[in-house]
Amino acid sequence: MCGIVAAVADRNIVPILIEGLRKLEYRGYDSAGLAVYDGSAAKKGGLQRLRAVGRVAELATRAEGLSASAGIAHTRWATHGVPSERNAHPHVSGGLAVVHNGIIENYAEIKTRLTGLGYVFVSETDTEAIAHLIEHKLESQADLRDAVRAACAELIGAYAIAVLSEKEPRRVIVARHGAPLLLGLGEDGHYAASDTAALLQVTRTLIYLEDGDIAEITRDGVRIACADGTPVERPSHESALSADAVELGHFQHYMQKEIFEQPQALANTLEMIGAAQSVTPQLFGAGADAMLRDAKSVLILACGTSYHAGLTARYWIEQLAGLPCCVEIASEYRYRDSVPNPEALVIAISQSGETADTLAALKHARVLGQSRTLALCNVPESAIVREAALKFLTRAGPEIGVASTKAFTTQLSALFLLAVTLAKVNERIDAREEAAYLTAMRHLPLAVGRVLELEQGIAAWARRFADKQHALFLGRGLHYPIALEGALKLKEISYIHAEAYPAGELKHGPLALVDEGMPVIAVAPNDALLEKLKSNLQEVRARGGELFVFADAGSEMPESEGVHILRMPEHYGLLSPALHVVPLQLLAYHAALVKGTDVDKPRNLAKSVTVE
């Protein structure tokens, strides 16, 4: 949520700022703005600021003909104050312009103090308090970087900021604490952004800032210091991504592209097992052998789609490894009095690795004495990866659509690999079983590819109920979390109200909702719970509910009036959830197409949730 781009270069940086903001649109936003300075701007009295409500395209139109060699830009997702041009970033104070991601928890206190000193606030945002505070610090600090450092010392909360001053127009000062920010090193200039995607247009050489870092960006280089002002060197990294990786190509939407990228994403994630007939704890990092062997239980921390992956993993870990597993919603975990277990393996799951709630929950778990930590993430060098003792990268590649798809299936594959590894170190499986599970994982990309061939039939289903106001998703056992994920996808992008329940819970309340206007989507693999599920579905038909059933071959569920069956290519045992979620993703996508919603950027949502 929110995005920052900053640049200082020998060329016109306005197109770089605009294109960077376009690449950050997936993060979710409601307005956009930029502030720049160069010789022509100086003749007009200093900084030039442009802001617009709505899409980056509107800001781009307003910026036509503008030229500058230094500037900052921002996409805003409203927290303090409604979406409006007045609340859009950058915010200014005197000759300063500031953009900010995150939330400043003590902004009201700062605002009260600065108002008493004569500073006038014109927006409802917490960011404006930062701008005025830095301006105030310049009264006692001769250098802008020192003023930013002094201001940051008073801020409580999460932030990534970029500051431009008309008095020092050839440099930008940036700082981060709890919100992602990275630097880009180029041949003709230097840059900063919230995400790699924004900078691939100009460089693949990146520096990831640590919490508390303050950096100066100029044409000639970058200088980084810790919060206390001590100079520090941070390593540079060459991004493995290319600009093409974040392009739409021939697909209509990023979500569609990412659904169809799942076979390759799974193959990439599981590449390390190759033709191996056994797993090794070292797949999860140095020191994993002892940490996994000594774990007496598992605690999974996650939010949203990643939480559903964790719920699925609970079944695998308990069944295969015989370890008790608890799955916690990260945003709730640190606000309750839990009972810590220092012998638990704590797993934090996040696509971005910057999810504020998950990162805070992971830190809280460590404070409670739970030091055996594992990050399962799609982004190397992200905050959660750096915080954990062990890591596993899912290698899904960039995921632009707000509704997560390939990140979820690659998380499932990684979690299944972990479950098998835990089962092995706990001597719960023999070599034959281990080899069979590895064979199944290697076949998974091909199996998902076959499921994708069902798209046209799923699109026809979507047209049948896209005009409905509500939908009910049912699953049992391993597939209840998949029903939850299917309901989440539908509500996220089509705005159809959808809920999911274990099918056995129908009689305990949800059955009251069922009538001819309530479509019921069922996940029906040919497993031990199939006959129980069939009985639950009969309860739906008896109340006039229309059923849409994703069934395996051989499940012996015939179509009839009000019962629509779409057969999956094969039953896939314990890995079935990774297959059954794919048609639910396609169902949500095509329902959204019929309804004409903004598939990749659904209202009110953000891709990377970097604030509480």
Side-chain angles (χ1 to χ4, degrees), residues 473-476 478-480 482-484 486 503 521-525 527 530 533 537 548-552 557 576-577 580-581 583-584:
F473 286 70
L474 300 177
R476 296 206 69 153
L478 264 175
H479 295 82
Y480 167 52
I482 300 309
L484 285 169
I521 300 92
V523 183
D527 60 13
L530 180 61
L533 178 64
L537 299 186
F548 297 83
V549 183
F550 292 97
D552 288 340
M557 295 183 70
S576 175
H580 270 88
V581 74
L584 300 185

Side-chain angles (χ1 to χ4, degrees), residues 334-552:
R334 68 188 178 113
Y335 294 113
R336 72 178 186 86
D337 293 328
S338 59
V339 180
N341 179 2
E343 295 183 309
L345 174 66
V346 180
I347 305 172
I349 310 175
S350 169
Q351 185 279 139
S352 68
E354 303 289 350
T355 309
D357 289 318
T358 306
L359 178 59
L362 176 60
K363 290 179 177 179
H364 179 65
R366 293 186 62 186
V367 169
L368 293 177
Q370 299 174 121
S371 60
R372 295 180 171 92
T373 56
L374 166 64
L376 201 154
C377 181
N378 189 41
V379 181
E381 301 300 329
S382 59
I384 288 174
V385 169
R386 294 196 301 270
E387 182 71 23
L390 304 176
K391 68 178 180 181
F392 187 95
L393 298 177
T394 53
R395 299 183 65 191
E399 190 177 66
I400 306 301
V402 166
S404 183
T405 52
K406 62 178 180 174
F408 180 71
T409 47
T410 54
Q411 286 170 356
L412 290 181
S413 68
L415 288 163
F416 188 80
L417 181 61
L418 175 64
V420 172
T421 305
L422 287 168
K424 179 180 181 179
V425 300
N426 282 283
E427 300 181 353
R428 294 267 302 186
I429 56 173
D430 58 27
R432 180 187 57 80
E433 291 170 311
E434 181 184 358
Y437 289 135
L438 286 170
T439 298
M441 281 188 276
R442 281 191 288 270
H443 182 62
L444 190 57
L446 179 62
V448 169
R450 293 184 63 195
V451 175
L452 290 170
E453 296 173 3
L454 303 175
E455 183 181 23
Q456 291 309 309
I458 296 168
W461 276 16
R463 289 191 291 272
R464 292 180 64 95
F465 71 82
D467 62 337
K468 305 296 185 183
Q469 298 299 309
H470 309 278
L472 188 64
F473 286 70
L474 300 177
R476 296 206 69 153
L478 264 175
H479 295 82
Y480 167 52
I482 300 309
L484 285 169
E485 178 63 12
L488 176 61
K489 286 293 155 284
L490 189 66
K491 71 180 76 170
E492 276 183 306
I493 62 170
S494 75
Y495 314 146
I496 295 173
H497 173 240
E499 297 295 338
Y501 282 89
E505 284 293 290
L506 273 174
K507 295 185 290 293
H508 299 280
L511 202 56
L513 297 171
V514 173
D515 59 18
E516 63 278 1
M518 170 74 85
V520 177
I521 300 92
V523 183
N526 191 12
D527 60 13
L529 290 171
L530 180 61
E531 294 306 318
K532 296 287 187 183
L533 178 64
K534 287 180 180 178
S535 298
N536 301 142
L537 299 186
Q538 288 300 319
E539 295 166 356
V540 171
R541 282 301 301 139
R543 275 78 179 174
E546 187 174 14
L547 284 167
F548 297 83
V549 183
F550 292 97
D552 288 340

Side-chain angles (χ1 to χ4, degrees), residues 147-418:
V148 172
R149 182 182 301 111
C152 288
E154 295 188 17
L155 302 179
I156 298 174
Y159 58 81
I161 63 174
V163 186
L164 180 67
S165 170
E166 65 181 12
K167 295 179 181 178
E168 302 179 58
R170 297 295 180 258
R171 68 173 181 162
V172 170
I173 307 299
V174 300
R176 71 152 289 181
H177 178 80
L181 196 65
L182 53 90
L183 307 180
L185 310 181
E187 294 182 0
D188 62 352
H190 294 85
Y191 311 89
S194 301
D195 192 302
T196 303
L199 298 184
L200 290 176
Q201 58 175 314
V202 288
T203 183
R204 291 170 59 185
T205 305
L206 308 172
I207 295 176
Y208 296 90
L209 296 179
E210 301 281 351
D211 270 0
D213 281 355
I214 296 175
E216 173 189 71
I217 304 170
T218 66
R219 160 63 188 86
D220 298 321
V222 298
R223 291 195 299 164
I224 306 170
C226 297
D228 63 3
T230 304
V232 63
E233 295 289 333
R234 300 295 184 206
S236 62
H237 304 265
E238 289 296 318
S239 173
L241 298 177
S242 66
D244 291 342
V246 292
E247 295 298 332
L248 190 57
H250 67 276
F251 291 96
Q252 189 173 353
H253 297 93
Y254 279 107
M255 183 180 179
Q256 182 189 32
K257 175 176 182 278
E258 288 152 12
I259 289 172
F260 278 85
E261 285 176 339
Q262 287 177 112
Q264 187 61 55
L266 286 164
N268 292 342
T269 298
L270 297 172
E271 182 181 26
M272 72 286 296
I273 65 174
Q277 295 301 301
S278 64
V279 295
T280 170
Q282 281 69 32
L283 291 169
F284 300 90
D289 196 333
M291 200 171 291
L292 298 188
R293 289 181 189 278
D294 293 342
K296 297 298 186 289
S297 65
V298 176
L299 168 63
I300 297 176
L301 306 171
C303 300
T305 285
S306 296
Y307 173 69
H308 297 156
L311 290 176
T312 308
R314 179 176 62 185
Y315 289 89
W316 290 332
I317 290 168
E318 294 196 344
Q319 178 174 341
L320 295 180
L323 295 175
C325 180
C326 177
V327 188
E328 295 266 5
I329 295 174
S331 59
E332 295 291 324
Y333 170 66
R334 68 188 178 113
Y335 294 113
R336 72 178 186 86
D337 293 328
S338 59
V339 180
N341 179 2
E343 295 183 309
L345 174 66
V346 180
I347 305 172
I349 310 175
S350 169
Q351 185 279 139
S352 68
E354 303 289 350
T355 309
D357 289 318
T358 306
L359 178 59
L362 176 60
K363 290 179 177 179
H364 179 65
R366 293 186 62 186
V367 169
L368 293 177
Q370 299 174 121
S371 60
R372 295 180 171 92
T373 56
L374 166 64
L376 201 154
C377 181
N378 189 41
V379 181
E381 301 300 329
S382 59
I384 288 174
V385 169
R386 294 196 301 270
E387 182 71 23
L390 304 176
K391 68 178 180 181
F392 187 95
L393 298 177
T394 53
R395 299 183 65 191
E399 190 177 66
I400 306 301
V402 166
S404 183
T405 52
K406 62 178 180 174
F408 180 71
T409 47
T410 54
Q411 286 170 356
L412 290 181
S413 68
L415 288 163
F416 188 80
L417 181 61
L418 175 64

Side-chain angles (χ1 to χ4, degrees), residues 92-116:
V92 298
S93 182
L96 295 175
V98 176
V99 295
H100 160 235
N101 291 351
I103 291 179
I104 304 303
E105 296 173 9
N106 63 332
Y107 89 97
E109 172 190 325
I110 295 171
K111 180 177 179 179
T112 298
R113 176 158 51 90
L114 293 175
T115 300

